[in-house]
């Protein structure tokens, strides 16, 4: 009589089902490393244009085009 062997479901099988696949973990780790490196390079490089500053809050030109030569306003 042939007996078929079934893997026993013990304590070792439970944590394995709760973990995501190893490829997914590797992809997420690679994604975090790439974004961390990009952030570090961007912080070291500084602003992309001379005179560029972070947003100050409420002050500003209100999106107008009065300081751009050749621009005459929307739809005119």
């Amino acid at each position: 009589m042939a007996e078929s062997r079934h893997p026993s479901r013990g304590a070792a099988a439970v944590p394995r089902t709760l973990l995501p696949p190893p490829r997914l973990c590797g992809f997420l780790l690679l994604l975090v490393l790439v974004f961390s490196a990009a952030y570090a390079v961007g912080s070291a490089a500084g602003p992309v244009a001379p005179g560029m500053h972070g947003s100050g809050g409420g002050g500003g030109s209100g999106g107008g085009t009065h300081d751009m030569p050749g621009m005459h306003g929307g739809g005119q």
Side-chain angles (χ1 to χ4, degrees), residues 23 30 34 39-40 42-43 45 47 64:
R23 287 185 182 177
L30 181 65
V34 167
Y39 180 79
S43 294

Side-chain angles (χ1 to χ4, degrees), residues 45-53:
V48 295
M52 186 176 200
H53 302 290

